[in-house]
Amino acid sequence: MSIESQNQTEASIAEEQGAPLLLHHHDHSSILISHQNEQQEEDTIVPLPDKQKADDAKAIPNQRIASLDVFRGLTVALMILVDDVGGAFPSLNHSPWFGVTLADFVMPFFLFGVGVSIGLVFMKVSSKPNATKKVIIRTIKLFILGLLLQGGYFHGRGDLTYGVDLSKIRWLGVLQRISIGYFLASLSEIWLVNNNVSVDSPVAFVRKYCIQWMFSLLLCLVYLCLLYGLYVPNWTFEQSNLVWSSHVSIIQDVHCEVRGSLDPPCNAVGFIDRLILGEHHMYQRPVYQRTKECSVNSPDYGPLPQNSPGWCLAPFDPEGILSSLMAAITCFIGLHFGHILMLLQDHKQRVFLWSTCSFCLLVIGYILEILGGHREVQKAYSLTTMDGNECSNCICIGCL
C-alpha cells in the first residue's frame, strides 16, 4: 500500500471516530503531510481544516456541576427523612410557629437550588423574548402540576373517589411557591442584568448585577411594609364540624384590630390570603394547630386543650401569597451564589464571597428578630351559631 493511500485511510478512520488528525507516521504535529510524488523529496504542508475544532468541541460532553447535584440529592434525602420520621421526633418536624427545625430547611434548600440553576441556564441569553416565553410556559406547567397534586384532586390512598370541589380547591402549594420564585428570579436574570459589562473586577461585578439586587431588595421592602404596617381587622371563619354528627354551621369571630402582629390569628400574611384567596381555598390543617395553645400533645397534633382559642381551627396557608413573595428572595440568594460560581474560578475567592454574604444575611436576620419580635396581643374570641346564639370567650364544646 502506498503512503498516500495509507494516509487517506487513517484520515477517514480518524474523522469517523472524532479523533484529532495526526496522520503522518513519524510526525506528531497537527499538520497533514501529503506526498505529491513518491520520487519527489519535497513535501507540501497543508493546515488542518477548522472543522476539527468543532468536532473536538462536540466530542467533549456537557459537564454538570457536581456540587449542585449533590446538594439536590441531599435535599431530597432530607425531605424524605423529615416526612417519614418527623412525627416520631418533634425536633425533626416543622416548627409549630416560632422557631426553626431541620424540616424548615427543606423548602429554602429547594428554592436556593432553583436560584443557582437559573444563574447557570441564563448566563448567556441570545433572545430575551424567547427566553421569557420559555420561562412563562415552564412556570404555568409547574403551577398546574402543583394544583393537581395539592389542590384536592387526590382524596387519599383509601378513598377511591376522584375529582375536586372548585369551591374548596387549594390554589397555592409547594410547587406553586417554587414556580413563583422561579418566575421572578428568571425574569430578573433575563431583563435586569447588564450583559454589556465584562466582569473583571469587584466594581464590574456590582455594575453588572446592581439592578437585580435592587429589585430583590424592593421585594423585601414590600414584604416588610405589609407585614408590619398592614392593619388587620376583625375577621370570621366558618368552623368545620369535626366533633358533632349534626350539620350545625358555626361561625367563629376573631378580634384583631392590630398592626405588626406575628401571632397566628392576626398576622398580615393570613389576612391577605383570606382577602384574596378566601378561607375555603386555604390549607385547612395549619401547622399552628401543634402549638401549646391548640394541642395537648404539642409539638405534635392532638386534641384541643381546655380554654383553647377559637383560631386554632382556622385555616392558614403556609405557602400563601405574601410568604411566597418573600420565599422568592431565597431564589435570588441562590442566583447570586450561582453568579459567583460561574464568574470566579478560584475556590478561595468563592468561599470567601459566599461566607461573607452568608454572614451578612445571618446578621440581618438576627437584627430583624430583635427589632420585630412578636407582640403579645390581647384578643377576645366569640362563637356564633347559625341560629344566632352567641357564646363569648369560650371554646366550641362549651357552647353546647
Coordinates of all heavy atoms in Angstrom, one line a residue, residues 183-266:
F183 N -40.2 32.2 38.5 CA -40.6 33.2 37.6 C -40.0 34.5 37.9 O -39.4 35.2 37.0 CB -42.2 33.3 37.7 CG -42.8 34.4 36.8 CD1 -42.9 34.2 35.4 CD2 -43.2 35.6 37.4 CE1 -43.4 35.2 34.6 CE2 -43.7 36.6 36.6 CZ -43.8 36.4 35.2
L184 N -40.0 35.0 39.1 CA -39.4 36.3 39.5 C -37.9 36.3 39.3 O -37.4 37.3 38.7 CB -39.8 36.6 40.9 CG -41.3 36.9 41.2 CD1 -41.5 37.1 42.7 CD2 -41.8 38.0 40.4
A185 N -37.2 35.3 39.7 CA -35.8 35.2 39.6 C -35.3 35.1 38.1 O -34.4 35.8 37.7 CB -35.2 34.1 40.4
S186 N -36.1 34.3 37.3 CA -35.7 34.2 35.9 C -35.9 35.5 35.1 O -35.0 35.9 34.3 CB -36.5 33.0 35.3 OG -36.3 31.8 35.9
L187 N -37.0 36.1 35.3 CA -37.2 37.4 34.6 C -36.2 38.4 35.0 O -35.7 39.2 34.2 CB -38.7 37.9 34.9 CG -39.8 37.1 34.3 CD1 -41.1 37.9 34.6 CD2 -39.6 36.9 32.8
S188 N -35.8 38.5 36.3 CA -34.8 39.4 36.7 C -33.4 39.1 36.0 O -32.7 40.0 35.7 CB -34.7 39.5 38.2 OG -34.1 38.3 38.7
E189 N -33.2 37.8 35.9 CA -31.9 37.4 35.3 C -31.9 37.7 33.8 O -30.8 38.0 33.2 CB -31.7 35.9 35.5 CG -30.4 35.4 35.0 CD -29.1 35.8 35.7 OE1 -29.3 36.5 36.8 OE2 -28.0 35.6 35.3
I190 N -33.0 37.7 33.2 CA -33.1 37.9 31.7 C -33.1 39.4 31.4 O -32.4 39.9 30.5 CB -34.4 37.3 31.1 CG1 -34.3 35.7 31.2 CG2 -34.6 37.7 29.7 CD1 -35.6 35.0 30.9
W191 N -33.8 40.2 32.2 CA -34.0 41.6 31.8 C -33.3 42.6 32.7 O -33.1 43.7 32.2 CB -35.5 41.9 31.9 CG -36.4 41.2 30.9 CD1 -37.1 40.0 31.1 CD2 -36.5 41.5 29.5 NE1 -37.7 39.6 29.9 CE2 -37.4 40.5 28.9 CE3 -36.1 42.6 28.7 CZ2 -37.8 40.6 27.6 CZ3 -36.5 42.6 27.4 CH2 -37.3 41.6 26.8
L192 N -32.9 42.2 33.8 CA -32.3 43.2 34.8 C -30.8 43.1 34.9 O -30.2 43.8 35.7 CB -32.9 43.1 36.1 CG -34.4 43.3 36.2 CD1 -34.9 43.2 37.6 CD2 -34.8 44.6 35.6
V193 N -30.1 42.3 34.1 CA -28.7 42.1 34.2 C -28.0 42.8 33.0 O -28.5 42.7 31.9 CB -28.3 40.6 34.2 CG1 -26.8 40.4 34.1 CG2 -28.8 39.9 35.4
N194 N -27.0 43.6 33.3 CA -26.3 44.3 32.3 C -25.3 43.4 31.6 O -24.2 43.2 32.1 CB -25.6 45.6 32.9 CG -25.1 46.5 31.8 OD1 -25.1 46.2 30.6 ND2 -24.6 47.6 32.2
N195 N -25.7 42.8 30.5 CA -24.8 41.8 29.8 C -23.7 42.5 29.1 O -22.8 41.8 28.5 CB -25.6 41.0 28.8 CG -26.6 40.1 29.6 OD1 -26.3 39.5 30.6 ND2 -27.8 40.0 29.0
N196 N -23.7 43.8 28.9 CA -22.6 44.5 28.3 C -21.4 44.7 29.1 O -20.3 45.2 28.6 CB -23.1 45.9 27.8 CG -24.2 45.8 26.7 OD1 -24.2 44.8 25.9 ND2 -25.2 46.7 26.8
V197 N -21.5 44.5 30.4 CA -20.4 44.6 31.3 C -19.6 43.3 31.5 O -20.2 42.3 31.8 CB -20.9 45.1 32.7 CG1 -19.8 45.2 33.7 CG2 -21.6 46.4 32.6
S198 N -18.3 43.4 31.2 CA -17.5 42.2 31.4 C -16.9 42.3 32.8 O -16.3 43.3 33.3 CB -16.3 42.3 30.4 OG -15.5 41.2 30.6
V199 N -17.1 41.2 33.6 CA -16.7 41.2 35.0 C -15.2 40.8 35.1 O -14.8 39.7 34.8 CB -17.5 40.1 35.7 CG1 -17.1 40.0 37.2 CG2 -19.0 40.4 35.7
D200 N -14.5 41.9 35.4 CA -13.0 41.7 35.6 C -12.5 42.3 36.9 O -11.3 42.3 37.2 CB -12.2 42.3 34.4 CG -12.6 43.8 34.1 OD1 -13.5 44.3 34.9 OD2 -12.1 44.3 33.2
S201 N -13.5 42.8 37.7 CA -13.2 43.4 39.0 C -14.4 43.4 39.8 O -15.5 43.2 39.3 CB -12.7 44.8 38.8 OG -13.7 45.6 38.2
P202 N -14.3 43.6 41.1 CA -15.5 43.6 42.0 C -16.4 44.8 41.6 O -17.6 44.6 41.7 CB -14.9 43.9 43.4 CG -13.5 43.3 43.3 CD -13.0 43.6 41.9
V203 N -15.9 45.9 41.2 CA -16.7 47.0 40.7 C -17.6 46.6 39.5 O -18.8 46.9 39.4 CB -15.9 48.3 40.4 CG1 -16.7 49.4 39.9 CG2 -15.1 48.7 41.7
A204 N -17.0 45.9 38.6 CA -17.7 45.5 37.4 C -18.8 44.5 37.8 O -19.9 44.4 37.2 CB -16.7 44.9 36.4
F205 N -18.5 43.6 38.8 CA -19.5 42.7 39.2 C -20.7 43.4 39.8 O -21.8 43.0 39.5 CB -18.8 41.8 40.3 CG -19.7 40.7 40.8 CD1 -19.8 39.5 40.1 CD2 -20.4 40.8 42.0 CE1 -20.7 38.4 40.5 CE2 -21.3 39.8 42.4 CZ -21.4 38.6 41.7
V206 N -20.5 44.4 40.6 CA -21.6 45.2 41.1 C -22.4 45.9 40.0 O -23.6 45.9 40.0 CB -21.1 46.2 42.2 CG1 -22.2 47.1 42.7 CG2 -20.4 45.5 43.3
R207 N -21.7 46.5 39.1 CA -22.3 47.1 37.9 C -23.2 46.2 37.1 O -24.3 46.6 36.7 CB -21.3 47.8 37.0 CG -20.6 49.0 37.6 CD -19.6 49.5 36.7 NE -20.1 49.8 35.3 CZ -19.4 49.8 34.2 NH1 -18.1 49.7 34.3 NH2 -19.9 50.0 33.0
K208 N -22.8 45.0 37.0 CA -23.5 44.0 36.2 C -24.8 43.6 36.8 O -25.8 43.4 36.1 CB -22.6 42.8 35.9 CG -23.2 41.8 35.0 CD -22.3 40.6 34.8 CE -22.8 39.6 33.8 NZ -22.9 40.2 32.4
Y209 N -24.8 43.4 38.2 CA -26.0 42.9 38.8 C -26.7 43.8 39.8 O -27.5 43.4 40.6 CB -25.6 41.6 39.6 CG -25.0 40.5 38.7 CD1 -23.7 40.2 38.7 CD2 -25.9 39.8 37.9 CE1 -23.2 39.2 37.9 CE2 -25.4 38.8 37.0 CZ -24.0 38.5 37.1 OH -23.5 37.5 36.3
C210 N -26.3 45.1 39.8 CA -26.9 46.0 40.8 C -28.4 46.2 40.6 O -29.1 46.3 41.6 CB -26.1 47.4 40.7 SG -26.3 48.2 39.1
I211 N -28.9 46.3 39.4 CA -30.3 46.5 39.2 C -31.1 45.2 39.7 O -32.2 45.4 40.3 CB -30.6 46.7 37.7 CG1 -29.9 48.0 37.3 CG2 -32.1 46.9 37.5 CD1 -30.1 48.3 35.8
Q212 N -30.5 44.1 39.5 CA -31.2 42.8 40.0 C -31.2 42.8 41.5 O -32.2 42.4 42.1 CB -30.4 41.6 39.5 CG -31.1 40.3 39.8 CD -30.2 39.2 39.2 OE1 -29.2 38.9 39.8 NE2 -30.7 38.5 38.2
W213 N -30.1 43.3 42.2 CA -30.1 43.3 43.6 C -31.1 44.4 44.1 O -31.8 44.1 45.2 CB -28.7 43.7 44.1 CG -27.7 42.7 43.8 CD1 -27.9 41.4 43.3 CD2 -26.3 42.9 43.8 NE1 -26.7 40.8 43.1 CE2 -25.7 41.6 43.4 CE3 -25.4 43.9 44.2 CZ2 -24.3 41.5 43.3 CZ3 -24.1 43.7 44.2 CH2 -23.5 42.5 43.7
M214 N -31.3 45.5 43.5 CA -32.2 46.5 43.9 C -33.7 45.9 43.8 O -34.5 46.2 44.6 CB -32.1 47.7 43.0 CG -30.8 48.5 43.2 SD -30.5 49.8 42.1 CE -31.9 50.9 42.4
F215 N -33.9 45.1 42.8 CA -35.2 44.5 42.6 C -35.5 43.6 43.7 O -36.6 43.6 44.3 CB -35.3 43.8 41.3 CG -36.6 43.1 41.0 CD1 -37.8 43.8 40.8 CD2 -36.7 41.7 41.0 CE1 -39.0 43.2 40.6 CE2 -37.9 41.0 40.8 CZ -39.1 41.8 40.6
S216 N -34.6 42.8 44.1 CA -34.8 41.8 45.2 C -35.0 42.6 46.6 O -35.8 42.2 47.4 CB -33.6 40.8 45.3 OG -32.4 41.5 45.6
L217 N -34.2 43.7 46.8 CA -34.4 44.5 48.0 C -35.8 45.1 48.0 O -36.4 45.3 49.0 CB -33.3 45.5 48.0 CG -31.9 45.0 48.3 CD1 -30.9 46.2 48.3 CD2 -31.8 44.3 49.7
L218 N -36.3 45.5 46.8 CA -37.6 46.1 46.7 C -38.7 45.1 47.1 O -39.6 45.4 47.8 CB -37.9 46.6 45.3 CG -39.3 47.2 45.0 CD1 -39.5 48.4 45.9 CD2 -39.4 47.5 43.5
L219 N -38.5 43.8 46.7 CA -39.4 42.8 47.2 C -39.4 42.6 48.7 O -40.4 42.4 49.3 CB -39.1 41.4 46.5 CG -39.3 41.4 45.0 CD1 -38.9 40.0 44.4 CD2 -40.7 41.7 44.6
C220 N -38.2 42.6 49.3 CA -38.1 42.5 50.7 C -38.8 43.7 51.4 O -39.5 43.5 52.4 CB -36.6 42.5 51.1 SG -35.7 41.0 50.7
L221 N -38.6 44.9 50.8 CA -39.2 46.1 51.4 C -40.7 46.0 51.4 O -41.4 46.4 52.3 CB -38.7 47.3 50.7 CG -39.2 48.7 51.3 CD1 -38.7 48.9 52.7 CD2 -38.7 49.8 50.4
V222 N -41.3 45.5 50.2 CA -42.7 45.4 50.1 C -43.2 44.4 51.2 O -44.3 44.7 51.8 CB -43.1 45.0 48.7 CG1 -44.6 44.6 48.6 CG2 -42.8 46.1 47.7
Y223 N -42.5 43.3 51.3 CA -43.0 42.3 52.3 C -43.0 42.8 53.7 O -43.9 42.7 54.5 CB -42.0 41.1 52.2 CG -42.2 40.1 53.3 CD1 -43.3 39.1 53.2 CD2 -41.4 40.0 54.4 CE1 -43.5 38.2 54.1 CE2 -41.6 39.1 55.4 CZ -42.6 38.1 55.3 OH -42.8 37.2 56.2
L224 N -41.9 43.5 54.1 CA -41.8 44.0 55.5 C -42.8 45.1 55.7 O -43.4 45.2 56.8 CB -40.4 44.6 55.7 CG -39.2 43.5 55.7 CD1 -37.9 44.2 55.9 CD2 -39.5 42.5 56.9
C225 N -43.0 46.0 54.7 CA -44.0 47.0 54.9 C -45.4 46.5 55.1 O -46.2 46.9 56.0 CB -44.0 48.0 53.7 SG -42.5 49.0 53.6
L226 N -45.8 45.5 54.4 CA -47.1 44.8 54.5 C -47.2 44.0 55.8 O -48.2 44.1 56.5 CB -47.4 43.9 53.3 CG -47.6 44.6 52.0 CD1 -47.8 43.6 50.9 CD2 -48.8 45.5 52.0
L227 N -46.1 43.4 56.2 CA -46.1 42.5 57.4 C -46.3 43.4 58.6 O -47.1 43.0 59.5 CB -44.8 41.7 57.4 CG -44.7 40.7 58.6 CD1 -45.8 39.6 58.5 CD2 -43.3 40.1 58.7
Y228 N -45.6 44.5 58.7 CA -45.6 45.3 59.9 C -46.5 46.5 59.9 O -46.8 47.1 60.9 CB -44.2 45.7 60.3 CG -43.3 44.6 60.7 CD1 -42.3 44.1 59.9 CD2 -43.4 44.1 62.0 CE1 -41.5 43.0 60.3 CE2 -42.6 43.0 62.4 CZ -41.6 42.5 61.5 OH -40.8 41.5 61.9
G229 N -46.9 46.9 58.7 CA -47.7 48.1 58.5 C -49.2 47.9 58.2 O -50.0 48.8 58.3
L230 N -49.5 46.7 57.7 CA -50.9 46.5 57.3 C -51.8 46.3 58.5 O -51.5 45.5 59.4 CB -51.0 45.3 56.3 CG -52.3 45.0 55.7 CD1 -52.7 46.2 54.7 CD2 -52.2 43.7 54.9
Y231 N -52.9 47.0 58.5 CA -53.9 46.9 59.6 C -54.7 45.6 59.4 O -55.3 45.4 58.3 CB -54.8 48.1 59.6 CG -55.9 48.1 60.6 CD1 -55.6 48.3 62.0 CD2 -57.2 47.8 60.2 CE1 -56.6 48.3 62.9 CE2 -58.2 47.7 61.1 CZ -57.9 48.0 62.5 OH -58.9 47.9 63.4
V232 N -54.8 44.8 60.4 CA -55.6 43.5 60.3 C -56.8 43.7 61.1 O -56.8 43.9 62.4 CB -54.8 42.4 60.9 CG1 -55.6 41.1 60.8 CG2 -53.5 42.2 60.1
P233 N -58.0 43.8 60.5 CA -59.3 44.0 61.2 C -59.8 42.7 61.8 O -59.2 41.6 61.7 CB -60.2 44.5 60.1 CG -59.7 43.8 58.9 CD -58.2 43.7 59.1
N234 N -60.9 42.8 62.5 CA -61.6 41.5 63.0 C -62.0 40.7 61.8 O -62.4 41.2 60.7 CB -62.8 41.9 63.9 CG -62.3 42.7 65.1 OD1 -61.2 42.6 65.6 ND2 -63.3 43.6 65.6
W235 N -62.1 39.4 62.0 CA -62.5 38.5 60.9 C -63.2 37.3 61.4 O -63.1 37.0 62.6 CB -61.3 38.1 60.0 CG -60.2 37.4 60.8 CD1 -59.2 38.0 61.5 CD2 -59.9 36.0 60.8 NE1 -58.4 37.1 62.0 CE2 -58.7 35.9 61.6 CE3 -60.5 34.9 60.2 CZ2 -58.2 34.6 61.8 CZ3 -59.9 33.7 60.4 CH2 -58.8 33.5 61.2
T236 N -63.9 36.7 60.6 CA -64.7 35.5 60.9 C -64.3 34.3 60.0 O -63.9 34.5 58.9 CB -66.2 35.7 60.9 OG1 -66.5 36.1 59.5 CG2 -66.6 36.9 61.8
F237 N -64.6 33.1 60.4 CA -64.4 32.0 59.6 C -65.5 30.9 60.0 O -65.9 30.9 61.1 CB -63.0 31.4 59.7 CG -62.7 30.7 61.0 CD1 -62.8 29.4 61.1 CD2 -62.2 31.5 62.0 CE1 -62.5 28.7 62.3 CE2 -61.9 30.9 63.3 CZ -62.0 29.5 63.4
E238 N -65.8 30.1 59.0 CA -66.8 29.0 59.3 C -66.0 27.8 59.7 O -65.2 27.2 59.0 CB -67.5 28.7 58.0 CG -68.6 27.7 58.2 CD -69.4 27.4 56.9 OE1 -69.2 28.2 56.0 OE2 -70.2 26.5 56.9
Q239 N -66.3 27.3 60.9 CA -65.6 26.2 61.5 C -66.2 24.9 61.0 O -67.4 24.7 60.9 CB -65.7 26.3 63.0 CG -65.0 25.1 63.8 CD -65.1 25.3 65.3 OE1 -65.0 26.4 65.8 NE2 -65.4 24.2 65.9
S240 N -65.3 24.0 60.6 CA -65.7 22.7 60.1 C -66.2 21.9 61.3 O -65.7 21.9 62.4 CB -64.5 21.9 59.5 OG -64.1 22.7 58.4
N241 N -67.3 21.1 61.0 CA -67.9 20.3 62.1 C -67.2 19.0 62.2 O -67.5 18.1 61.4 CB -69.4 20.1 61.7 CG -70.2 19.5 62.9 OD1 -69.6 19.1 63.9 ND2 -71.5 19.6 62.8
L242 N -66.2 18.9 63.1 CA -65.4 17.7 63.2 C -65.8 16.9 64.4 O -65.3 15.8 64.6 CB -63.9 18.1 63.3 CG -63.4 18.8 62.1 CD1 -61.9 19.2 62.4 CD2 -63.5 18.1 60.8
V243 N -66.7 17.4 65.3 CA -67.0 16.7 66.6 C -68.4 16.2 66.6 O -68.6 15.1 67.0 CB -66.7 17.7 67.8 CG1 -67.0 17.0 69.1 CG2 -65.3 18.3 67.7
W244 N -69.3 16.9 66.1 CA -70.7 16.5 66.2 C -71.2 15.9 64.9 O -70.8 16.3 63.8 CB -71.5 17.8 66.6 CG -71.0 18.5 67.8 CD1 -71.1 18.1 69.1 CD2 -70.2 19.7 67.7 NE1 -70.4 19.0 69.9 CE2 -69.8 20.0 69.1 CE3 -69.7 20.5 66.7 CZ2 -69.0 21.1 69.4 CZ3 -68.9 21.6 67.0 CH2 -68.6 21.8 68.4
S245 N -72.2 15.1 65.1 CA -72.8 14.4 63.9 C -73.8 15.3 63.2 O -74.0 15.2 62.0 CB -73.5 13.1 64.3 OG -74.4 13.4 65.3
S246 N -74.3 16.3 63.9 CA -75.3 17.2 63.3 C -74.5 18.2 62.5 O -73.4 18.6 62.7 CB -76.1 17.9 64.4 OG -75.2 18.7 65.3
H247 N -75.2 18.7 61.4 CA -74.6 19.6 60.5 C -74.9 21.0 60.9 O -75.7 21.7 60.2 CB -75.1 19.3 59.1 CG -74.7 17.9 58.6 ND1 -73.5 17.6 58.1 CD2 -75.5 16.8 58.5 CE1 -73.4 16.3 57.8 NE2 -74.6 15.8 58.0
V248 N -74.4 21.4 62.0 CA -74.7 22.8 62.5 C -73.4 23.6 62.1 O -72.3 23.3 62.5 CB -74.9 22.8 64.0 CG1 -75.0 24.2 64.5 CG2 -76.1 22.0 64.4
S249 N -73.6 24.7 61.3 CA -72.5 25.5 60.9 C -72.2 26.5 62.1 O -73.1 27.1 62.7 CB -72.9 26.3 59.7 OG -73.1 25.4 58.6
I250 N -70.9 26.7 62.4 CA -70.5 27.5 63.4 C -69.6 28.6 62.9 O -68.6 28.3 62.1 CB -69.8 26.7 64.5 CG1 -70.7 25.6 65.1 CG2 -69.2 27.6 65.6 CD1 -70.1 24.7 66.1
I251 N -69.9 29.8 63.2 CA -69.1 30.9 62.7 C -68.3 31.4 63.9 O -68.8 31.7 65.0 CB -70.0 32.1 62.2 CG1 -71.0 31.6 61.1 CG2 -69.2 33.3 61.8 CD1 -70.2 31.1 59.9
Q252 N -67.0 31.4 63.7 CA -66.0 31.8 64.7 C -65.5 33.3 64.4 O -65.1 33.6 63.3 CB -64.8 30.9 64.7 CG -63.8 31.2 65.8 CD -64.3 30.6 67.1 OE1 -65.1 29.7 67.2 NE2 -63.8 31.1 68.2
D253 N -65.6 34.1 65.4 CA -65.2 35.5 65.3 C -63.8 35.6 66.0 O -63.6 35.1 67.1 CB -66.1 36.5 66.0 CG -67.5 36.5 65.3 OD1 -67.5 36.3 64.1 OD2 -68.5 36.8 66.0
V254 N -62.9 36.3 65.3 CA -61.5 36.5 65.8 C -61.3 38.1 65.8 O -61.4 38.7 64.8 CB -60.5 35.9 64.9 CG1 -59.1 36.1 65.5 CG2 -60.7 34.4 64.8
H255 N -61.1 38.6 67.0 CA -60.9 40.0 67.2 C -59.4 40.4 67.1 O -58.6 39.8 67.9 CB -61.5 40.5 68.5 CG -63.0 40.3 68.6 ND1 -63.8 41.3 68.3 CD2 -63.7 39.3 69.0 CE1 -65.1 40.9 68.4 NE2 -65.0 39.6 68.9
C256 N -59.0 41.2 66.2 CA -57.6 41.6 66.0 C -57.4 43.1 66.2 O -57.1 43.6 67.2 CB -57.1 41.2 64.6 SG -57.0 39.4 64.4
E257 N -57.7 43.9 65.1 CA -57.6 45.3 65.1 C -56.2 45.7 65.6 O -56.0 46.6 66.5 CB -58.7 46.0 66.1 CG -60.1 45.7 65.6 CD -61.1 46.4 66.5 OE1 -60.7 46.8 67.6 OE2 -62.3 46.5 66.0
V258 N -55.2 45.1 64.9 CA -53.8 45.4 65.3 C -53.0 45.6 64.0 O -53.4 45.2 62.9 CB -53.2 44.3 66.2 CG1 -53.9 44.2 67.5 CG2 -53.3 43.0 65.4
R259 N -51.7 46.1 64.2 CA -50.7 46.1 63.1 C -49.5 45.4 63.6 O -49.1 45.5 64.8 CB -50.4 47.6 62.7 CG -51.4 48.2 61.9 CD -50.9 49.6 61.4 NE -51.8 50.2 60.5 CZ -52.8 51.1 60.8 NH1 -53.0 51.3 62.1 NH2 -53.6 51.6 59.9
G260 N -48.8 44.8 62.8 CA -47.5 44.2 63.1 C -47.5 43.0 63.9 O -46.4 42.6 64.4
S261 N -48.6 42.4 64.1 CA -48.6 41.1 64.9 C -48.1 40.0 64.1 O -48.4 39.8 62.9 CB -50.1 40.8 65.4 OG -50.1 39.6 66.0
L262 N -47.3 39.1 64.7 CA -46.8 37.9 64.1 C -47.4 36.7 64.6 O -46.9 35.6 64.3 CB -45.2 37.9 64.2 CG -44.5 39.1 63.7 CD1 -43.0 38.9 63.9 CD2 -44.8 39.4 62.2
D263 N -48.4 36.8 65.5 CA -49.0 35.6 66.1 C -49.9 35.0 65.0 O -50.3 35.7 64.0 CB -49.8 36.1 67.3 CG -48.9 36.4 68.4 OD1 -47.9 35.8 68.6 OD2 -49.2 37.4 69.1
P264 N -50.3 33.8 65.2 CA -51.1 33.1 64.2 C -52.4 33.7 63.8 O -52.7 33.8 62.6 CB -51.4 31.7 64.9 CG -50.3 31.5 65.8 CD -49.9 32.8 66.3
P265 N -53.3 34.3 64.7 CA -54.6 34.8 64.3 C -54.6 36.1 63.6 O -55.5 36.4 62.8 CB -55.4 34.8 65.6 CG -54.4 35.1 66.6 CD -53.1 34.4 66.2
C266 N -53.6 37.0 63.9 CA -53.7 38.4 63.5 C -52.6 38.9 62.6 O -52.2 40.1 62.7 CB -53.9 39.3 64.7 SG -55.4 38.9 65.6

